[in-house]
Amino acid sequence: MLRKLGIAILALLLLGPSIMLVGVGLLVNPAASAACTTPGGLNVGAVPDSLKVTTRDGSTFTLTKAQLTHAATIISVGSKIEGVTRDGVQIALMAALTESSLRMLSNTSSYPESADYSSDGDGEDHDSLGLFQMRPQSGWGSVKDLMDPTYQVKAFFGGPTGPNYPSPRGLLDIPGWQSMDKGEAAQAVEVSAFPDRYRNYEPVALTILDTLTKPASSSGGQPKASIPETSRIVFPLPQGTWVMTSPFGYRTHPITGQRTLHEGTDYAAPDGTPIYAVADGIVTVAEYTDTWGGHIVIDHTVDGQAVSTGYIHMWASGIHVTVGERVTAGQHIADVGSSGRSTGPHLHFEVRPGGGEPIDSDKWLTEYGAASQTGTVNADVSGGCASERHGEQATSATTPAVPAATSASRREN
């Protein structure tokens, strides 16, 4: 017996470093789990004071800041749970909208002690509590647990790390939930007597997601061992196809009229123009939303430092990479479009060192001597804009084929 124990200890000592390296490799390698999760969680921005939304049946109402704050909790907490995708977060929002109108509800008739906790009102739905109207008697948790929004979010998603695992089932415990209709997936968790109600809130949940989340920029701030130093830096569009129409810096927003920071550089180009990865890296975001349209984020290692680049406004059919995919500098990853909050075909390009705050992306390309790819010359860019330039001015990485003042239309983002 002692001999076997000694052998086991020796094996652990010998294999320990390898086991540790395997664990670290899984943590730093986005390809290991990014295909089914939201890398690093969705990036929740400022919560507005109100938001006007419309249901599938055409009903319109306004969400308050308190309701939107609960939505932000669902997004930020849920998207960090392994296995939860952006669609999963949308399903959770649909469920909370249906069950409680995104309110933390006490239930003093069934649980007088629930009045001791912060709430947005007192509910009367049998013996249910909180955002997702969970029942203590069904095993979801204690009254104290269920009056905590974060706990309820974790319970709704469930899975091996859920506080209610293995029963009652959370979304991650529903086999094949990813391929189910979103309303059916919400019903599978809530087991409501009115299963069709959830589907009505699908567009509302999507509007909330698009409003509260900003384009994710990186899945980490430090260089990843799985992302080797890039071999080169290239320009994201073919030579002679583009015109810079709005540089990085503060400007008058072309749609809202407010003075805001333009976090990237806009390059007008004909619809369908190829978009290239500017450096070797790994795709951490490849999605389509109503606000941003096509959205790709790639993590790179440049001069030993982590850098993320973002590409926005492609059509859904113009996204040619998937999360976790390794790409090389100059690889055709997408096509120029005009989706999301855009006023014409263009590429909105961002650079974020360490996945943090954005920097002047055009200046960054220039500093690295980004070489344009060969492509169409004398392209028709009559739709290119000449947005007013405010704050910091940017210098084009290469010489445009057509003067920037060819049109007075504007691009957003």
Side-chain angles (χ1 to χ4, degrees):
M1 181 72 178
L2 289 176
R3 182 181 178 187
K4 291 182 179 179
L5 180 60
I7 292 174
I9 294 174
L10 179 60
L12 284 174
L13 289 174
L14 292 174
L15 295 176
S18 298
I19 295 173
M20 184 177 293
L21 286 174
V22 170
V24 171
L26 289 174
L27 288 173
V28 301
N29 183 4
S33 61
C36 60
T37 62
T38 302
L42 292 169
N43 185 13
V44 178
V47 177
D49 291 333
S50 62
L51 178 65
K52 189 175 182 179
V53 292
T54 303
T55 60
R56 174 168 286 186
D57 64 12
S59 300
T60 298
F61 60 98
T62 300
L63 294 167
T64 66
K65 186 167 186 131
Q67 291 169 300
L68 293 172
T69 298
H70 291 313
T73 298
I74 292 172
I75 295 169
S76 59
V77 173
S79 66
K80 291 181 175 64
I81 298 173
E82 184 177 357
V84 175
T85 64
R86 185 184 177 91
D87 283 349
V89 173
Q90 185 179 353
I91 291 167
L93 289 171
M94 290 165 60
L97 282 160
T98 304
E99 296 295 336
S100 70
S101 297
L102 277 173
R103 295 177 297 156
M104 274 301 296
L105 297 176
S106 58
N107 191 329
T108 55
S109 61
S110 296
Y111 306 101
E113 67 271 32
S114 65
D116 297 336
Y117 303 94
S118 176
S119 71
D120 302 312
D122 195 33
E124 299 179 352
D125 184 7
H126 300 288
D127 57 349
S128 301
L129 293 165
L131 288 171
F132 298 98
Q133 290 293 278
M134 294 173 170
R135 303 175 61 201
Q137 292 185 11
S138 295
W140 285 106
S142 67
V143 172
K144 178 181 178 181
D145 290 334
L146 296 180
M147 290 305 295
D148 177 0
T150 297
Y151 178 94
Q152 282 225 353
V153 174
K154 292 179 179 179
F156 178 85
F157 287 109
T161 62
N164 47 302
Y165 185 78
S167 178
R169 297 189 306 174
L171 183 66
L172 295 176
D173 305 311
I174 308 298
W177 69 266
Q178 299 92 333
S179 59
M180 294 171 65
D181 172 86
K182 291 183 176 64
E184 292 178 356
Q187 162 67 3
V189 178
E190 294 291 344
V191 195
S192 167
F194 305 96
D196 295 333
R197 296 183 304 162
Y198 302 103
R199 191 176 293 109
N200 193 41
Y201 288 96
E202 186 170 351
V204 177
L206 182 59
T207 299
I208 293 172
L209 258 177
D210 288 346
T211 300
L212 297 189
T213 59
K214 300 167 64 178
S217 303
S218 176
S219 53
Q222 298 300 318
K224 301 178 181 63
S226 58
I227 306 180
E229 182 76 24
T230 188
S231 58
R232 58 180 178 146
I233 305 292
V234 304
F235 198 77
L237 294 168
Q239 182 179 3
T241 64
W242 57 272
V243 171
M244 184 204 293
T245 52
S246 188
F248 173 89
Y250 281 91
R251 67 173 183 177
T252 298
H253 195 288
I255 294 178
T256 67
Q258 298 179 341
R259 185 172 172 79
T260 56
L261 175 64
H262 186 225
E263 298 183 335
T265 304
D266 288 351
Y267 301 106
D271 197 307
T273 299
I275 298 173
Y276 305 121
V278 299
D280 305 338
I282 292 178
V283 178
T284 56
V285 175
E287 63 182 4
Y288 186 91
T289 70
D290 288 346
T291 298
W292 302 106
H295 175 213
I296 294 173
V297 175
I298 304 175
D299 283 358
H300 319 274
T301 300
V302 180
D303 286 344
Q305 301 298 315
V307 175
S308 294
T309 56
Y311 313 75
I312 298 176
H313 295 311
M314 299 79 69
W315 303 113
S317 60
I319 299 173
H320 305 315
V321 291
T322 57
V323 171
E325 182 176 343
R326 288 181 176 271
V327 297
T328 58
Q331 180 175 329
H332 182 188
I333 59 170
D335 300 323
V336 169
S338 183
S339 61
R341 299 178 65 180
S342 169
T343 60
H346 73 291
L347 167 65
H348 172 89
F349 175 67
E350 294 186 5
V351 174
R352 295 175 183 259
E357 294 301 312
I359 62 173
D360 188 332
S361 50
D362 192 77
K363 182 179 179 181
W364 182 84
L365 288 169
T366 302
E367 290 175 347
Y368 279 97
S372 288
Q373 304 297 290
T374 57
T376 304
V377 181
N378 297 325
D380 177 11
V381 289
S382 58
C385 63
S387 299
E388 296 178 10
R389 302 189 177 196
H390 300 276
E392 184 176 359
Q393 299 298 302
T395 301
S396 173
T398 60
T399 303
V402 181
T406 54
S407 172
S409 64
R410 297 184 177 184
R411 294 292 181 279
E412 160 54 9
N413 284 341

